[in-house]
Amino acid sequence: METLKVDLAERSYDIIFGDGILPRFGSFCRALALGENVMIITSSVIGNFYLEPLRRSLVDSGYNVHVCILPDGEEQKNSDTLHHVYDELLSAHLDRGAFIVAVGGGVVGDISGFAAATYLRGIPFLQVPTTLLAQVDSSVGGKTGINLQKGKNLIGAFYQPRLVFIDLATLDTLPDREYLSGLAEVVKYGVVADADFFNYIYDNSARVLIRDKESLLALEKRSCAIKASVVARDERESGLRAVLNFGHTIGHAIESLSGYKKYLHGEAVAIGMAQAARISEAMGHSAKADTDRIIRLLEMLHLPVELPYYSQENYLKAILRDKKVKDGSITFVLNKGIGNFSLVKISDLKAVLEKCGIGG
Ligand code: NAD
Ligand code: GLY
């Protein structure tokens, strides 16, 4: 078992990594100053696998355990589901002494975290992430929220968990496509923050693909360490934290243009990173060899890199709807070689897209 700290003064918390550690969860809760009542929030799919061991661990540690099962899927990350959570918390008569445990991927984590941030003006919550994406990204850093019809994550709060408890064994049941999608976020950390890490993933890609536990632990620890260090310096994204959005500007545009159905988030981000690398090269921030190596690694991990066909006008519109647009200019995260980044303000996006052949 290994521990990493997210350093945020009085909101600091630990990330625990281990293999087969769910039965020990209750004792970790006991080490925190939490109340006696807990609501486990999970989804119908994830609950089948992991609800019982987690519930047993909490009961064995003496907690009064309540359970809230959510419908599964991104389309359920909405206000109806959120209100269902509030109803369950109220029906169980949970007061401010209670806490929430989110067991699942980014969808369950984001909704549960937002419910925790807002129920009775805030109760503690803990994350038990069960997808690779959630274990390397969404469970750490305190972004919580839900989607609206008009767009993703438009309602939310920065609200840090009290503990992130990562059991690598939960990835054993994760479908391949979800696993590969999570790897896109891992590659992201290497490209913008750590060339040695990028090389490690490149050199160990075969082991990563078969979910070798030693490689997985190395990927997760380094990814979380990079995210924790960024969040510690810029919790509320006033600048630096934007680096975590590398590949996401075009990735989000692709998700939106394809109606959020065709691509998983990480797949769209993989295409977005390949395009961002091309833009970076075109603007003189990196060499062709860097672009080729980034794209090659994504391909080795069976991630898509080719931009789907939409008109340039559609790409422009979708990109300019991004939250990072101010006064018509967009701040793009570009890679500086491999292992470093620049935040570049682009005012003539059309010219850049044309130069890089983005959009037909
Ligand atoms: P997800 O939560 O929808 O999970 C993907 C699928 O995998 C679901 O069908 C789920 O039931 C299933 N699943 C989860 N764990 C499993 C397991 N161990 N075994 C078998 N099946 C399992 O998707 P995700 O990729 O984890 O998260 C995506 C969400 O995360 C998006 O809503 C995105 O906006 C959000 N996100 C948030 C942050 C943040 O900082 N808060 C960062 C990145 C992404
Ligand atoms: N996933 C981007 C962030 O947490 O800031």
Side-chain angles (χ1 to χ4, degrees):
M1 201 171 298
E2 302 199 33
T3 305
L4 180 81
K5 185 173 177 192
V6 183
D7 210 340
L8 285 166
E10 73 283 0
R11 291 185 308 290
S12 298
Y13 53 95
D14 285 342
I15 307 173
I16 309 289
F17 304 88
D19 187 11
I21 57 174
L22 281 192
R24 295 170 64 183
F25 181 66
S27 57
F28 278 83
C29 295
R30 278 285 166 222
L32 301 166
L34 299 164
E36 293 305 313
N37 289 300
V38 48
M39 178 67 83
I40 300 177
I41 303 179
T42 189
S43 86
S44 46
V45 174
I46 302 151
N48 276 337
F49 298 113
Y50 305 112
L51 176 58
E52 202 35 46
L54 216 70
R55 200 187 63 80
R56 170 71 23 225
S57 170
L58 286 161
V59 168
D60 288 349
S61 294
Y63 290 104
N64 304 317
V65 183
H66 305 266
V67 175
C68 172
I69 307 277
L70 307 182
D72 196 72
E74 180 72 33
E75 62 282 8
Q76 308 294 341
K77 191 174 143 183
N78 57 32
S79 55
D80 288 347
T81 308
L82 178 67
H83 281 94
H84 171 65
V85 175
Y86 293 144
D87 283 344
E88 295 281 314
L89 293 165
L90 287 166
S91 301
H93 306 289
L94 297 188
D95 62 18
R96 278 196 177 145
F99 63 100
I100 286 176
V101 175
V103 186
V107 167
V108 169
D110 281 11
I111 301 173
S112 306
F114 188 62
T118 47
Y119 181 70
L120 304 179
R121 298 203 175 87
I123 61 174
F125 93 111
L126 289 72
Q127 292 263 24
V128 182
T130 63
T131 61
L132 181 59
L133 179 135
Q135 295 184 353
V136 298
D137 188 355
S138 64
S139 67
V140 175
K143 280 190 183 174
T144 70
I146 57 165
N147 303 330
L148 294 183
Q149 289 282 349
K150 285 192 186 327
K152 277 187 63 165
N153 300 324
L154 291 181
I155 302 292
F158 287 101
Y159 193 66
Q160 301 295 340
R162 294 286 299 277
L163 180 73
V164 178
F165 194 80
I166 298 179
D167 187 343
L168 296 182
T170 59
L171 296 185
D172 292 348
T173 54
L174 190 67
D176 262 341
R177 195 172 163 206
E178 295 289 349
Y179 177 72
L180 297 176
S181 172
L183 285 176
E185 301 285 1
V186 175
V187 171
K188 171 190 81 178
Y189 293 119
V191 175
V192 291
D194 186 343
D196 288 343
F197 185 46
F198 181 93
N199 291 335
Y200 175 88
I201 311 166
Y202 201 100
D203 295 341
N204 290 278
S205 65
R207 294 173 70 196
V208 168
L209 283 172
I210 57 164
R211 309 188 196 194
D212 163 70
K213 285 282 164 62
E214 195 187 319
S215 315
L216 253 178
L217 182 62
L219 294 196
E220 296 217 348
K221 277 193 326 193
R222 189 65 194 129
S223 298
C224 288
I226 292 169
K227 180 147 189 188
S229 131
V230 170
V231 169
R233 285 176 283 161
D234 180 20
E235 185 182 7
R236 287 175 172 252
E237 201 164 320
S238 43
L240 174 72
R241 188 165 176 167
V243 64
L244 301 175
N245 295 324
F246 178 68
H248 285 58
T249 304
I250 292 177
H252 284 153
I254 293 169
E255 284 182 284
S256 150
L257 289 169
S258 58
Y260 296 98
K261 296 243 182 302
K262 184 162 180 214
Y263 298 97
L264 295 180
H265 177 69
E267 294 169 342
V269 167
I271 300 171
M273 289 194 288
Q275 303 311 315
R278 288 187 179 125
I279 295 175
S280 178
E281 183 191 331
M283 294 183 78
H285 293 274
S286 63
K288 182 172 184 309
D290 300 321
T291 312
D292 290 348
R293 201 163 155 77
I294 292 166
I295 292 176
R296 180 75 195 114
L297 176 56
L298 294 169
E299 286 174 340
M300 284 178 351
L301 298 174
H302 306 309
L303 285 161
V305 291
E306 290 308 327
L307 199 68
Y309 179 85
Y310 295 102
S311 70
Q312 195 176 87
E313 203 186 326
N314 280 338
Y315 269 112
L316 259 176
K317 269 196 216 147
I319 291 172
L320 291 174
R321 270 200 302 268
D322 196 283
K323 291 200 273 292
K324 289 164 285 297
V325 173
K326 266 195 198 130
D327 306 325
S329 294
I330 182 153
T331 302
F332 243 88
V333 189
L334 296 179
N335 56 299
K336 234 163 117 182
I338 291 179
N340 212 336
F341 71 97
S342 294
L343 298 180
V344 178
K345 205 167 175 184
I346 299 181
S347 46
D348 192 353
L349 183 62
K350 190 167 190 293
V352 173
L353 296 190
E354 249 155 37
K355 191 169 175 190
C356 299
I358 294 177

